[in-house]
Amino acid sequence: MSVLNCQNLTIGYENKIIQQNLNFEVKKGDYFFIVGENGAGKSTLMKTILGFIKPLDGKVIFGGDVNRKEIGYLPQQTSIQRTFPATVKEIVLSGCQSRLGLLPFYKKEDVARAEQSIIRMGIKEYENTSFKELSGGQQQRVLLARALCAANSVLLLDEPVKGFDSKMRSEMYSLVQELNKEGLTIIMISHDIEASEKYATASLKLERVRIG
Protein backbone atom coordinates (compact mmCIF):
# COMPACT_ATOMS: atom_id res chain seq x y z
CA MET A 1 0.00 0.00 0.00
CA SER A 2 1.38 3.41 -1.00
CA VAL A 3 1.85 6.06 1.71
CA LEU A 4 3.52 8.61 -0.55
CA ASN A 5 3.94 8.82 -4.31
CA CYS A 6 5.99 11.58 -5.97
CA GLN A 7 5.42 11.85 -9.71
CA ASN A 8 7.63 13.89 -12.05
CA LEU A 9 8.39 16.16 -9.10
CA THR A 10 10.51 19.28 -9.59
CA ILE A 11 11.61 21.11 -6.44
CA GLY A 12 13.35 24.39 -5.67
CA TYR A 13 12.91 27.97 -4.48
CA GLU A 14 11.62 31.01 -6.38
CA ASN A 15 11.76 29.12 -9.67
CA LYS A 16 15.35 28.01 -9.03
CA ILE A 17 15.35 24.29 -9.76
CA ILE A 18 17.28 22.04 -7.35
CA GLN A 19 15.98 18.64 -8.51
CA GLN A 20 13.65 17.72 -11.32
CA ASN A 21 11.66 14.74 -12.56
CA LEU A 22 11.79 12.86 -9.25
CA ASN A 23 9.70 9.68 -9.27
CA PHE A 24 9.55 7.45 -6.20
CA GLU A 25 7.11 5.71 -3.88
CA VAL A 26 7.14 5.12 -0.12
CA LYS A 27 5.10 2.12 0.96
CA LYS A 28 3.38 1.56 4.27
CA GLY A 29 5.88 0.20 6.80
CA ASP A 30 8.97 1.40 4.94
CA TYR A 31 12.11 2.68 6.68
CA PHE A 32 12.89 4.98 3.75
CA PHE A 33 16.19 6.86 3.51
CA ILE A 34 16.78 9.98 1.40
CA VAL A 35 20.55 10.24 1.04
CA GLY A 36 22.92 12.62 -0.72
CA GLU A 37 25.53 15.29 -0.25
CA ASN A 38 24.93 18.87 0.90
CA GLY A 39 23.13 20.94 -1.70
CA ALA A 40 21.43 17.98 -3.35
CA GLY A 41 17.99 19.11 -2.16
CA LYS A 42 17.21 16.59 0.59
CA SER A 43 15.68 19.08 3.03
CA THR A 44 13.93 20.93 0.21
CA LEU A 45 12.35 17.65 -0.86
CA MET A 46 11.15 16.93 2.67
CA LYS A 47 9.68 20.44 3.04
CA THR A 48 7.92 19.99 -0.31
CA ILE A 49 6.47 16.67 0.86
CA LEU A 50 5.20 18.37 4.01
CA GLY A 51 3.64 21.20 2.03
CA PHE A 52 5.91 23.93 3.42
CA ILE A 53 7.17 24.59 -0.12
CA LYS A 54 5.12 24.27 -3.28
CA PRO A 55 6.52 21.98 -5.99
CA LEU A 56 7.68 23.76 -9.12
CA ASP A 57 6.16 20.92 -11.12
CA GLY A 58 4.79 17.42 -10.65
CA LYS A 59 2.74 15.90 -7.86
CA VAL A 60 3.04 14.79 -4.22
CA ILE A 61 0.29 12.22 -3.61
CA PHE A 62 -0.49 10.71 -0.20
CA GLY A 63 -2.23 7.40 0.38
CA GLY A 64 -5.91 7.57 1.21
CA ASP A 65 -5.50 7.18 4.98
CA VAL A 66 -2.63 9.68 5.35
CA ASN A 67 -3.44 13.18 6.62
CA ARG A 68 -0.66 15.78 6.26
CA LYS A 69 -1.63 17.24 9.65
CA GLU A 70 -0.99 13.86 11.27
CA ILE A 71 2.55 13.43 9.97
CA GLY A 72 5.24 13.68 12.63
CA TYR A 73 8.20 15.88 11.65
CA LEU A 74 11.60 16.23 13.29
CA PRO A 75 13.54 19.07 11.60
CA GLN A 76 17.23 19.70 12.01
CA GLN A 77 17.89 21.17 15.44
CA THR A 78 19.01 24.80 15.66
CA SER A 79 21.10 26.59 18.30
CA ILE A 80 17.97 28.48 19.43
CA GLN A 81 16.12 25.22 20.03
CA ARG A 82 18.99 23.86 22.15
CA THR A 83 18.61 26.72 24.65
CA PHE A 84 14.81 26.75 24.76
CA PRO A 85 13.74 27.24 28.43
CA ALA A 86 10.56 25.09 28.45
CA THR A 87 10.35 21.78 30.28
CA VAL A 88 10.50 18.41 28.53
CA LYS A 89 6.81 17.82 29.22
CA GLU A 90 5.82 21.19 27.74
CA ILE A 91 7.84 20.63 24.58
CA VAL A 92 6.54 17.12 24.00
CA LEU A 93 2.93 18.19 24.60
CA SER A 94 3.32 20.99 22.04
CA GLY A 95 3.53 18.24 19.42
CA CYS A 96 -0.22 17.79 19.87
CA GLN A 97 -1.02 21.33 18.65
CA SER A 98 -2.03 20.13 15.20
CA ARG A 99 -4.75 18.04 16.87
CA LEU A 100 -6.34 20.96 18.73
CA GLY A 101 -8.46 22.24 15.87
CA LEU A 102 -10.40 25.27 17.10
CA LEU A 103 -9.96 24.38 20.78
CA PRO A 104 -7.64 26.68 22.80
CA PHE A 105 -6.48 23.94 25.19
CA TYR A 106 -5.20 20.38 25.22
CA LYS A 107 -7.59 17.49 25.83
CA LYS A 108 -6.99 14.62 28.23
CA GLU A 109 -6.20 12.46 25.21
CA ASP A 110 -3.42 14.87 24.19
CA VAL A 111 -1.85 14.80 27.66
CA ALA A 112 -2.02 11.00 27.69
CA ARG A 113 -0.47 10.84 24.21
CA ALA A 114 2.41 13.10 25.31
CA GLU A 115 2.97 10.98 28.42
CA GLN A 116 3.05 7.82 26.30
CA SER A 117 5.61 9.41 23.95
CA ILE A 118 7.79 10.46 26.89
CA ILE A 119 7.79 6.92 28.25
CA ARG A 120 8.35 5.46 24.78
CA MET A 121 11.50 7.58 24.36
CA GLY A 122 12.87 6.69 27.80
CA ILE A 123 12.87 10.27 29.13
CA LYS A 124 10.29 10.02 31.92
CA GLU A 125 12.87 11.02 34.56
CA TYR A 126 13.49 14.30 32.73
CA GLU A 127 9.87 15.36 32.09
CA ASN A 128 10.07 18.32 34.51
CA THR A 129 13.63 19.26 33.54
CA SER A 130 14.37 22.32 31.42
CA PHE A 131 15.16 21.30 27.86
CA LYS A 132 18.31 23.43 27.75
CA GLU A 133 19.83 21.42 30.63
CA LEU A 134 19.79 18.14 28.67
CA SER A 135 22.56 16.60 26.59
CA GLY A 136 22.34 16.61 22.80
CA GLY A 137 21.19 13.00 22.69
CA GLN A 138 18.55 13.59 25.37
CA GLN A 139 17.29 16.68 23.56
CA GLN A 140 16.90 14.72 20.35
CA ARG A 141 14.83 12.10 22.18
CA VAL A 142 12.59 14.90 23.49
CA LEU A 143 12.09 16.32 20.00
CA LEU A 144 11.41 12.83 18.66
CA ALA A 145 8.80 12.34 21.39
CA ARG A 146 7.26 15.65 20.29
CA ALA A 147 7.12 14.45 16.68
CA LEU A 148 5.48 11.22 17.81
CA CYS A 149 2.63 13.23 19.35
CA ALA A 150 1.78 14.48 15.87
CA ALA A 151 2.44 11.21 14.04
CA ASN A 152 -0.48 8.99 13.21
CA SER A 153 1.29 6.60 10.86
CA VAL A 154 4.15 8.54 9.20
CA LEU A 155 7.29 10.11 10.70
CA LEU A 156 9.69 12.39 8.78
CA LEU A 157 13.18 12.96 10.19
CA ASP A 158 15.71 15.48 8.86
CA GLU A 159 19.29 14.50 9.81
CA PRO A 160 18.31 13.29 13.32
CA VAL A 161 21.89 12.14 14.11
CA LYS A 162 23.72 15.25 12.90
CA GLY A 163 26.60 16.09 15.26
CA PHE A 164 26.37 12.78 17.13
CA ASP A 165 29.31 10.46 17.77
CA SER A 166 29.17 6.90 16.39
CA LYS A 167 27.61 5.44 19.55
CA MET A 168 24.85 8.04 19.70
CA ARG A 169 24.18 7.66 15.97
CA SER A 170 23.79 3.91 16.34
CA GLU A 171 21.41 4.33 19.30
CA MET A 172 19.23 6.81 17.39
CA TYR A 173 19.08 4.66 14.25
CA SER A 174 18.13 1.63 16.35
CA LEU A 175 15.50 3.63 18.24
CA VAL A 176 13.90 4.74 14.99
CA GLN A 177 14.08 1.18 13.68
CA GLU A 178 12.07 0.04 16.71
CA LEU A 179 9.42 2.68 15.97
CA ASN A 180 9.32 1.36 12.41
CA LYS A 181 8.83 -2.21 13.65
CA GLU A 182 5.94 -0.96 15.80
CA GLY A 183 4.15 0.21 12.66
CA LEU A 184 5.34 3.73 11.81
CA THR A 185 6.43 4.48 8.26
CA ILE A 186 9.75 6.34 8.48
CA ILE A 187 11.17 8.79 5.95
CA MET A 188 14.67 9.89 7.00
CA ILE A 189 17.18 12.31 5.52
CA SER A 190 20.78 11.23 6.04
CA HIS A 191 24.31 11.65 4.68
CA ASP A 192 25.10 8.18 6.02
CA ILE A 193 25.21 5.69 3.14
CA GLU A 194 26.37 2.92 5.49
CA ALA A 195 23.36 3.41 7.78
CA SER A 196 21.09 3.44 4.75
CA GLU A 197 22.46 0.08 3.63
CA LYS A 198 22.00 -1.33 7.14
CA TYR A 199 18.54 -0.04 8.08
CA ALA A 200 16.64 1.08 4.98
CA THR A 201 13.93 -1.04 3.40
CA ALA A 202 14.06 1.39 0.45
CA SER A 203 16.01 4.53 -0.39
CA LEU A 204 16.40 7.48 -2.76
CA LYS A 205 19.83 8.89 -3.57
CA LEU A 206 19.99 12.53 -4.67
CA GLU A 207 22.96 13.86 -6.61
CA ARG A 208 23.82 17.52 -6.98
CA VAL A 209 22.80 18.52 -10.46
CA ARG A 210 23.39 21.44 -12.77
CA ILE A 211 20.22 22.76 -14.40
CA GLY A 212 20.56 24.89 -17.52
Side-chain angles (χ1 to χ4, degrees):
M1 177 181 172
S2 178
V3 167
L4 170 71
N5 198 326
C6 291
Q7 299 177 357
N8 300 316
L9 185 65
T10 297
I11 61 173
Y13 294 91
E14 298 177 352
N15 295 321
K16 179 183 178 182
I17 294 172
I18 298 176
Q19 290 284 343
Q20 61 183 357
N21 298 324
L22 294 174
N23 291 278
F24 65 94
E25 180 183 29
V26 179
K27 295 181 180 179
K28 185 175 182 179
D30 270 348
Y31 191 165
F32 191 94
F33 272 64
I34 300 171
V35 297
E37 61 183 306
N38 286 335
K42 301 185 302 298
S43 293
T44 302
L45 173 57
M46 185 165 281
K47 290 174 183 177
T48 303
I49 290 170
L50 286 163
F52 300 160
I53 300 172
K54 291 184 178 180
L56 299 181
D57 198 7
K59 297 180 180 180
V60 176
I61 302 170
F62 289 100
D65 62 344
V66 178
N67 183 335
R68 248 188 188 142
K69 292 182 179 180
E70 296 179 346
I71 294 176
Y73 174 47
L74 176 61
Q76 290 189 39
Q77 199 177 160
T78 66
S79 58
I80 293 176
Q81 285 176 318
R82 294 188 185 98
T83 58
F84 201 67
T87 66
V88 166
K89 184 185 293 185
E90 289 169 338
I91 288 176
V92 174
L93 184 58
S94 71
C96 293
Q97 286 180 352
S98 63
R99 299 173 178 274
L100 293 181
L102 299 176
L103 296 176
F105 49 83
Y106 295 110
K107 303 184 291 292
K108 289 182 179 179
E109 293 85 351
D110 298 325
V111 176
R113 188 179 183 91
E115 181 71 10
Q116 182 183 28
S117 294
I118 286 171
I119 294 171
R120 202 175 186 185
M121 290 298 100
I123 51 175
K124 175 68 176 174
E125 63 184 293
Y126 306 113
E127 67 178 356
N128 295 312
T129 302
S130 176
F131 181 75
K132 64 182 180 180
E133 296 177 8
L134 302 178
S135 69
Q138 290 166 341
Q139 287 185 342
Q140 200 68 325
R141 282 178 177 260
V142 173
L143 296 176
L144 185 53
R146 181 184 186 278
L148 286 175
C149 282
N152 183 28
S153 59
V154 183
L155 184 62
L156 273 61
L157 310 172
D158 190 349
E159 296 281 6
V161 301
K162 188 175 182 179
F164 286 7
D165 60 29
S166 59
K167 182 176 183 294
M168 291 171 64
R169 285 199 301 270
S170 180
E171 287 178 355
M172 182 58 69
Y173 283 132
S174 295
L175 179 61
V176 176
Q177 186 180 45
E178 286 303 310
L179 294 174
N180 177 242
K181 289 179 179 178
E182 291 172 13
L184 278 177
T185 300
I186 307 295
I187 304 175
M188 178 186 289
I189 286 177
S190 177
H191 287 91
D192 195 339
I193 300 295
E194 184 177 339
S196 172
E197 292 173 347
K198 181 176 181 180
Y199 296 105
T201 59
S203 63
L204 171 70
K205 185 175 181 180
L206 298 181
E207 305 281 358
R208 291 188 69 174
V209 295
R210 291 182 178 273
I211 308 294

PDB file of all heavy atoms in Angstrom, residues 110-130:
ATOM      1  N   ASP A 110      -4.689  14.280  24.603  1.00  0.00           N
ATOM      2  CA  ASP A 110      -3.419  14.868  24.195  1.00  0.00           C
ATOM      3  C   ASP A 110      -2.360  14.691  25.284  1.00  0.00           C
ATOM      4  O   ASP A 110      -1.213  14.328  25.006  1.00  0.00           O
ATOM      5  CB  ASP A 110      -3.583  16.365  23.897  1.00  0.00           C
ATOM      6  CG  ASP A 110      -4.550  16.630  22.760  1.00  0.00           C
ATOM      7  OD1 ASP A 110      -4.581  15.820  21.806  1.00  0.00           O
ATOM      8  OD2 ASP A 110      -5.268  17.634  22.822  1.00  0.00           O
ATOM      9  N   VAL A 111      -2.770  14.948  26.527  1.00  0.00           N
ATOM     10  CA  VAL A 111      -1.851  14.804  27.657  1.00  0.00           C
ATOM     11  C   VAL A 111      -1.401  13.347  27.784  1.00  0.00           C
ATOM     12  O   VAL A 111      -0.219  13.054  28.007  1.00  0.00           O
ATOM     13  CB  VAL A 111      -2.520  15.286  28.968  1.00  0.00           C
ATOM     14  CG1 VAL A 111      -1.601  15.038  30.154  1.00  0.00           C
ATOM     15  CG2 VAL A 111      -2.868  16.767  28.875  1.00  0.00           C
ATOM     16  N   ALA A 112      -2.349  12.428  27.611  1.00  0.00           N
ATOM     17  CA  ALA A 112      -2.022  10.997  27.690  1.00  0.00           C
ATOM     18  C   ALA A 112      -1.093  10.597  26.548  1.00  0.00           C
ATOM     19  O   ALA A 112      -0.162   9.786  26.733  1.00  0.00           O
ATOM     20  CB  ALA A 112      -3.305  10.168  27.640  1.00  0.00           C
ATOM     21  N   ARG A 113      -1.316  11.159  25.362  1.00  0.00           N
ATOM     22  CA  ARG A 113      -0.472  10.843  24.211  1.00  0.00           C
ATOM     23  C   ARG A 113       0.956  11.341  24.444  1.00  0.00           C
ATOM     24  O   ARG A 113       1.923  10.651  24.124  1.00  0.00           O
ATOM     25  CB  ARG A 113      -1.067  11.489  22.957  1.00  0.00           C
ATOM     26  CG  ARG A 113      -0.402  11.080  21.649  1.00  0.00           C
ATOM     27  CD  ARG A 113      -1.080  11.747  20.464  1.00  0.00           C
ATOM     28  NE  ARG A 113      -0.509  11.306  19.204  1.00  0.00           N
ATOM     29  CZ  ARG A 113      -0.941  10.278  18.498  1.00  0.00           C
ATOM     30  NH1 ARG A 113      -1.984   9.590  18.917  1.00  0.00           N
ATOM     31  NH2 ARG A 113      -0.351   9.933  17.370  1.00  0.00           N
ATOM     32  N   ALA A 114       1.083  12.551  25.009  1.00  0.00           N
ATOM     33  CA  ALA A 114       2.409  13.097  25.311  1.00  0.00           C
ATOM     34  C   ALA A 114       3.118  12.244  26.355  1.00  0.00           C
ATOM     35  O   ALA A 114       4.322  11.959  26.233  1.00  0.00           O
ATOM     36  CB  ALA A 114       2.277  14.542  25.795  1.00  0.00           C
ATOM     37  N   GLU A 115       2.386  11.820  27.364  1.00  0.00           N
ATOM     38  CA  GLU A 115       2.973  10.976  28.416  1.00  0.00           C
ATOM     39  C   GLU A 115       3.460   9.643  27.834  1.00  0.00           C
ATOM     40  O   GLU A 115       4.554   9.161  28.167  1.00  0.00           O
ATOM     41  CB  GLU A 115       1.935  10.726  29.512  1.00  0.00           C
ATOM     42  CG  GLU A 115       2.434   9.891  30.679  1.00  0.00           C
ATOM     43  CD  GLU A 115       3.423  10.628  31.566  1.00  0.00           C
ATOM     44  OE1 GLU A 115       3.596  11.849  31.392  1.00  0.00           O
ATOM     45  OE2 GLU A 115       4.013   9.977  32.438  1.00  0.00           O
ATOM     46  N   GLN A 116       2.669   9.079  26.955  1.00  0.00           N
ATOM     47  CA  GLN A 116       3.049   7.825  26.298  1.00  0.00           C
ATOM     48  C   GLN A 116       4.323   8.014  25.468  1.00  0.00           C
ATOM     49  O   GLN A 116       5.218   7.157  25.477  1.00  0.00           O
ATOM     50  CB  GLN A 116       1.909   7.340  25.410  1.00  0.00           C
ATOM     51  CG  GLN A 116       2.194   6.005  24.715  1.00  0.00           C
ATOM     52  CD  GLN A 116       1.056   5.612  23.784  1.00  0.00           C
ATOM     53  OE1 GLN A 116       0.345   6.463  23.253  1.00  0.00           O
ATOM     54  NE2 GLN A 116       0.885   4.321  23.579  1.00  0.00           N
ATOM     55  N   SER A 117       4.427   9.142  24.774  1.00  0.00           N
ATOM     56  CA  SER A 117       5.607   9.409  23.954  1.00  0.00           C
ATOM     57  C   SER A 117       6.844   9.601  24.818  1.00  0.00           C
ATOM     58  O   SER A 117       7.946   9.163  24.460  1.00  0.00           O
ATOM     59  CB  SER A 117       5.381  10.657  23.092  1.00  0.00           C
ATOM     60  OG  SER A 117       4.360  10.436  22.149  1.00  0.00           O
ATOM     61  N   ILE A 118       6.675  10.255  25.953  1.00  0.00           N
ATOM     62  CA  ILE A 118       7.791  10.464  26.885  1.00  0.00           C
ATOM     63  C   ILE A 118       8.313   9.126  27.390  1.00  0.00           C
ATOM     64  O   ILE A 118       9.524   8.877  27.421  1.00  0.00           O
ATOM     65  CB  ILE A 118       7.335  11.363  28.058  1.00  0.00           C
ATOM     66  CG1 ILE A 118       7.199  12.818  27.585  1.00  0.00           C
ATOM     67  CG2 ILE A 118       8.301  11.268  29.228  1.00  0.00           C
ATOM     68  CD1 ILE A 118       6.558  13.738  28.596  1.00  0.00           C
ATOM     69  N   ILE A 119       7.401   8.242  27.768  1.00  0.00           N
ATOM     70  CA  ILE A 119       7.790   6.921  28.249  1.00  0.00           C
ATOM     71  C   ILE A 119       8.431   6.112  27.127  1.00  0.00           C
ATOM     72  O   ILE A 119       9.454   5.437  27.322  1.00  0.00           O
ATOM     73  CB  ILE A 119       6.566   6.180  28.819  1.00  0.00           C
ATOM     74  CG1 ILE A 119       6.065   6.895  30.087  1.00  0.00           C
ATOM     75  CG2 ILE A 119       6.903   4.717  29.128  1.00  0.00           C
ATOM     76  CD1 ILE A 119       4.740   6.386  30.598  1.00  0.00           C
ATOM     77  N   ARG A 120       7.859   6.200  25.951  1.00  0.00           N
ATOM     78  CA  ARG A 120       8.353   5.461  24.785  1.00  0.00           C
ATOM     79  C   ARG A 120       9.799   5.827  24.448  1.00  0.00           C
ATOM     80  O   ARG A 120      10.595   4.988  24.028  1.00  0.00           O
ATOM     81  CB  ARG A 120       7.447   5.789  23.597  1.00  0.00           C
ATOM     82  CG  ARG A 120       7.446   4.794  22.460  1.00  0.00           C
ATOM     83  CD  ARG A 120       6.396   5.257  21.460  1.00  0.00           C
ATOM     84  NE  ARG A 120       6.166   4.333  20.374  1.00  0.00           N
ATOM     85  CZ  ARG A 120       5.371   4.572  19.348  1.00  0.00           C
ATOM     86  NH1 ARG A 120       4.711   5.713  19.291  1.00  0.00           N
ATOM     87  NH2 ARG A 120       5.224   3.678  18.384  1.00  0.00           N
ATOM     88  N   MET A 121      10.153   7.096  24.665  1.00  0.00           N
ATOM     89  CA  MET A 121      11.504   7.580  24.355  1.00  0.00           C
ATOM     90  C   MET A 121      12.463   7.461  25.537  1.00  0.00           C
ATOM     91  O   MET A 121      13.620   7.862  25.447  1.00  0.00           O
ATOM     92  CB  MET A 121      11.447   9.038  23.899  1.00  0.00           C
ATOM     93  CG  MET A 121      10.825   9.250  22.536  1.00  0.00           C
ATOM     94  SD  MET A 121      11.743   8.445  21.197  1.00  0.00           S
ATOM     95  CE  MET A 121      10.749   6.965  20.957  1.00  0.00           C
ATOM     96  N   GLY A 122      11.989   6.920  26.654  1.00  0.00           N
ATOM     97  CA  GLY A 122      12.869   6.689  27.796  1.00  0.00           C
ATOM     98  C   GLY A 122      13.338   7.955  28.488  1.00  0.00           C
ATOM     99  O   GLY A 122      14.454   8.009  29.009  1.00  0.00           O
ATOM    100  N   ILE A 123      12.473   8.992  28.533  1.00  0.00           N
ATOM    101  CA  ILE A 123      12.875  10.274  29.127  1.00  0.00           C
ATOM    102  C   ILE A 123      11.933  10.693  30.260  1.00  0.00           C
ATOM    103  O   ILE A 123      11.869  11.870  30.612  1.00  0.00           O
ATOM    104  CB  ILE A 123      12.916  11.383  28.048  1.00  0.00           C
ATOM    105  CG1 ILE A 123      11.614  11.421  27.239  1.00  0.00           C
ATOM    106  CG2 ILE A 123      14.125  11.194  27.125  1.00  0.00           C
ATOM    107  CD1 ILE A 123      11.524  12.569  26.238  1.00  0.00           C
ATOM    108  N   LYS A 124      11.239   9.731  30.850  1.00  0.00           N
ATOM    109  CA  LYS A 124      10.291  10.017  31.922  1.00  0.00           C
ATOM    110  C   LYS A 124      10.961  10.777  33.074  1.00  0.00           C
ATOM    111  O   LYS A 124      10.369  11.698  33.642  1.00  0.00           O
ATOM    112  CB  LYS A 124       9.679   8.711  32.424  1.00  0.00           C
ATOM    113  CG  LYS A 124       8.765   8.848  33.632  1.00  0.00           C
ATOM    114  CD  LYS A 124       7.491   9.589  33.309  1.00  0.00           C
ATOM    115  CE  LYS A 124       6.557   9.623  34.502  1.00  0.00           C
ATOM    116  NZ  LYS A 124       5.357  10.467  34.261  1.00  0.00           N
ATOM    117  N   GLU A 125      12.191  10.401  33.414  1.00  0.00           N
ATOM    118  CA  GLU A 125      12.866  11.017  34.561  1.00  0.00           C
ATOM    119  C   GLU A 125      13.209  12.488  34.315  1.00  0.00           C
ATOM    120  O   GLU A 125      13.524  13.222  35.251  1.00  0.00           O
ATOM    121  CB  GLU A 125      14.139  10.246  34.907  1.00  0.00           C
ATOM    122  CG  GLU A 125      15.195  10.249  33.811  1.00  0.00           C
ATOM    123  CD  GLU A 125      16.388   9.385  34.175  1.00  0.00           C
ATOM    124  OE1 GLU A 125      17.118   9.744  35.118  1.00  0.00           O
ATOM    125  OE2 GLU A 125      16.586   8.350  33.492  1.00  0.00           O
ATOM    126  N   TYR A 126      13.135  12.912  33.063  1.00  0.00           N
ATOM    127  CA  TYR A 126      13.488  14.295  32.734  1.00  0.00           C
ATOM    128  C   TYR A 126      12.270  15.164  32.425  1.00  0.00           C
ATOM    129  O   TYR A 126      12.433  16.314  32.018  1.00  0.00           O
ATOM    130  CB  TYR A 126      14.414  14.322  31.509  1.00  0.00           C
ATOM    131  CG  TYR A 126      15.639  13.477  31.627  1.00  0.00           C
ATOM    132  CD1 TYR A 126      15.806  12.349  30.816  1.00  0.00           C
ATOM    133  CD2 TYR A 126      16.638  13.772  32.552  1.00  0.00           C
ATOM    134  CE1 TYR A 126      16.935  11.553  30.915  1.00  0.00           C
ATOM    135  CE2 TYR A 126      17.769  12.985  32.661  1.00  0.00           C
ATOM    136  CZ  TYR A 126      17.909  11.881  31.850  1.00  0.00           C
ATOM    137  OH  TYR A 126      19.023  11.094  31.961  1.00  0.00           O
ATOM    138  N   GLU A 127      11.057  14.658  32.602  1.00  0.00           N
ATOM    139  CA  GLU A 127       9.875  15.359  32.090  1.00  0.00           C
ATOM    140  C   GLU A 127       9.687  16.751  32.689  1.00  0.00           C
ATOM    141  O   GLU A 127       9.085  17.619  32.042  1.00  0.00           O
ATOM    142  CB  GLU A 127       8.620  14.516  32.275  1.00  0.00           C
ATOM    143  CG  GLU A 127       8.202  14.280  33.693  1.00  0.00           C
ATOM    144  CD  GLU A 127       6.903  13.469  33.777  1.00  0.00           C
ATOM    145  OE1 GLU A 127       6.318  13.172  32.726  1.00  0.00           O
ATOM    146  OE2 GLU A 127       6.480  13.147  34.901  1.00  0.00           O
ATOM    147  N   ASN A 128      10.192  16.997  33.901  1.00  0.00           N
ATOM    148  CA  ASN A 128      10.069  18.318  34.513  1.00  0.00           C
ATOM    149  C   ASN A 128      11.366  19.115  34.459  1.00  0.00           C
ATOM    150  O   ASN A 128      11.486  20.181  35.066  1.00  0.00           O
ATOM    151  CB  ASN A 128       9.604  18.184  35.967  1.00  0.00           C
ATOM    152  CG  ASN A 128       8.196  17.614  36.067  1.00  0.00           C
ATOM    153  OD1 ASN A 128       7.288  18.067  35.366  1.00  0.00           O
ATOM    154  ND2 ASN A 128       8.010  16.615  36.915  1.00  0.00           N
ATOM    155  N   THR A 129      12.337  18.605  33.708  1.00  0.00           N
ATOM    156  CA  THR A 129      13.629  19.261  33.543  1.00  0.00           C
ATOM    157  C   THR A 129      13.571  20.252  32.387  1.00  0.00           C
ATOM    158  O   THR A 129      12.886  20.017  31.391  1.00  0.00           O
ATOM    159  CB  THR A 129      14.722  18.209  33.260  1.00  0.00           C
ATOM    160  OG1 THR A 129      14.758  17.263  34.334  1.00  0.00           O
ATOM    161  CG2 THR A 129      16.094  18.860  33.120  1.00  0.00           C
ATOM    162  N   SER A 130      14.291  21.352  32.520  1.00  0.00           N
ATOM    163  CA  SER A 130      14.372  22.317  31.423  1.00  0.00           C
ATOM    164  C   SER A 130      15.112  21.688  30.249  1.00  0.00           C
ATOM    165  O   SER A 130      16.160  21.055  30.418  1.00  0.00           O
ATOM    166  CB  SER A 130      15.107  23.578  31.880  1.00  0.00           C
ATOM    167  OG  SER A 130      15.270  24.487  30.801  1.00  0.00           O
TER     168      SER A 130
END
